[in-house]
Amino acid sequence: MKKINGNVTTPKGFQASGVMAGIRKKNRKDIALVYSEADCVAGATFTTNRVKAAPVNWDISILRNGLSKHAVVLNSGIANACMGEQGVKDNFAFAEAVAKELNLKPEQVFTASTGVIGQPMPMQVILPGIQEAAKALSDTNEGGKNASEAIMTTDTVSKTVACELTIGETKVMIGGMSKGSGMIHPNMATMLSVVTTDINIDEALLQEAVSAAVKDTFNMISVDRDTSTNDTFIVLANGLAGNEKIVTKDKAYEEFAAALFAVCEDLAKKMAHDGEGATKLLTCEIYNAKSKEDARVLAKSVISSNLVKAAFFGSDANWGRVLCALGYSGVDFDPTKVDITIAQEKDKLDIVKNGMAIDYSEEVATMMLSKDNVSFVVDMHDGAFDATAWGCDLTYDYVKINGDYRS
């Protein structure tokens, strides 16, 4: 498996577009469409927030309806959340308009929305926008790029990835896009993400691969400890690569699952790095925890801590905050066994041994923490399980962005 330059249009048979409908702001792409004329099987995960947006409930209802899937339509600007029956009607109209343009049934179209909660969808501009998006569909890299830009809200960069792998003697492609910068603390979902692939695979096995990949990628990032009402991750597979259909968890399945994991990890890290107001990517690597779940919880607790994130912004090696975050995670461990190391590329600096500070250079620690991508490496000395989580620093700009998000 190798990563290549590409996006959701890289796999065979997929087209995409991104257009400006004027949902909240003019001169900004805000409707994205991803489409395969060939029948697709789908795998997906969604937010576990009890307050779910209309498109999330729609997608859950159609995921296993027995129909082939062909499209995902997404909008930015308005979340279509907490809008009652009107939100349900608007979301159906969203799917129905795509179905009409592409000669599909509405139940073959996934929907996704992101933006302000509690405001109505401006259907008077969305419906013409869908017509434009359908006309603009393209299998070019530009089509995928436009789609990735159309789902951005406070994101500063679009997020795409692609890879190729060989199943038997057949070349298979996977491409993806995601958005996410704030309200990022996924739980069994992402923010908004669509991945396409031309692999031929059983739908139940695709779902297993999707669910497995999410656990240690999208679910291991946090920007602000807020799980969105709209988190949606959808994978479409149209089988056009022509490989022998994957129907068991054999070598071909494992190779695909590993590639899908790599795509999800790439997108997850890009979202964490582009957290609202963020200047740096923070990684926490937990080693030798008592269980895999303990390792996940510990790593996520560190990168989610506002005090750790604030110290990271100030390049302050305040290791006590790291130990504190481990301590309130709910995991049972012996604090007197914990070692903490700062790692930045090939450079490493031990700062805590057996739960206490050792003699280290504050100047060197500050210099390392001022870099773009830094890790806290934590050895629990309590078992044989590892996990990694990704977050970002907490800056003044985060408060500014969220203080006037609706204006």
Side-chain angles (χ1 to χ4, degrees), residues 185 188 211-217 219-221 261 284-304 325-326 329 331 380 385-390:
H185 193 75
M188 296 307 295
S211 298
V214 162
K215 286 183 181 179
D216 288 305
T217 58
N219 277 6
M220 295 303 291
I221 63 173
F261 181 94
C284 181
E285 303 170 30
I286 298 290
Y287 292 97
N288 301 315
K290 196 176 300 181
S291 69
K292 184 66 174 179
E293 186 56 27
D294 280 0
R296 290 182 179 128
V297 171
L298 289 163
K300 196 88 176 275
S301 185
V302 171
I303 58 95
S304 300
L326 297 170
S329 67
V331 172
M380 305 303 295
F385 295 90
D386 311 331
T388 301
W390 300 275

Side-chain angles (χ1 to χ4, degrees), residues 227-395:
T227 299
S228 171
T229 56
N230 290 61
D231 292 348
T232 301
F233 175 44
I234 296 170
V235 180
L236 297 179
N238 63 14
L240 292 185
N243 60 290
E244 183 178 347
K245 187 174 182 178
I246 299 174
V247 294
T248 61
K249 287 187 176 181
D250 55 11
K251 181 182 177 183
Y253 172 83
E254 296 299 335
E255 290 174 345
F256 168 71
L260 179 62
F261 181 94
V263 164
C264 293
E265 182 182 57
D266 184 281
L267 293 172
K269 291 171 69 174
K270 284 174 177 172
M271 285 195 289
H273 202 177
D274 193 33
E276 288 175 341
T279 64
K280 298 179 281 190
L281 177 67
L282 172 63
T283 302
C284 181
E285 303 170 30
I286 298 290
Y287 292 97
N288 301 315
K290 196 176 300 181
S291 69
K292 184 66 174 179
E293 186 56 27
D294 280 0
R296 290 182 179 128
V297 171
L298 289 163
K300 196 88 176 275
S301 185
V302 171
I303 58 95
S304 300
S305 164
N306 281 342
L307 289 178
V308 171
K309 291 154 59 69
F312 184 48
F313 172 60
S315 303
D316 178 11
N318 195 336
W319 58 266
R321 294 180 176 181
V322 176
L323 203 58
C324 179
L326 297 170
Y328 63 62
S329 67
V331 172
D332 181 32
F333 66 92
D334 185 348
T336 66
K337 292 182 179 179
V338 176
D339 299 340
I340 302 175
T341 298
I342 297 173
Q344 202 281 317
E345 294 185 346
K346 295 181 180 179
D347 296 327
K348 294 185 178 181
L349 179 67
D350 295 330
I351 58 175
V352 172
K353 189 76 172 176
N354 296 325
M356 297 181 65
I358 60 175
D359 187 20
Y360 66 90
S361 168
E362 287 283 359
E363 290 76 15
V364 172
T366 298
M367 180 271 295
M368 293 176 68
L369 289 168
S370 68
K371 302 297 183 180
D372 178 62
N373 188 347
V374 185
S375 297
F376 284 120
V377 180
V378 182
D379 193 333
M380 305 303 295
H381 292 290
D382 200 27
F385 295 90
D386 311 331
T388 301
W390 300 275
C392 59
D393 53 345
L394 180 60
T395 71

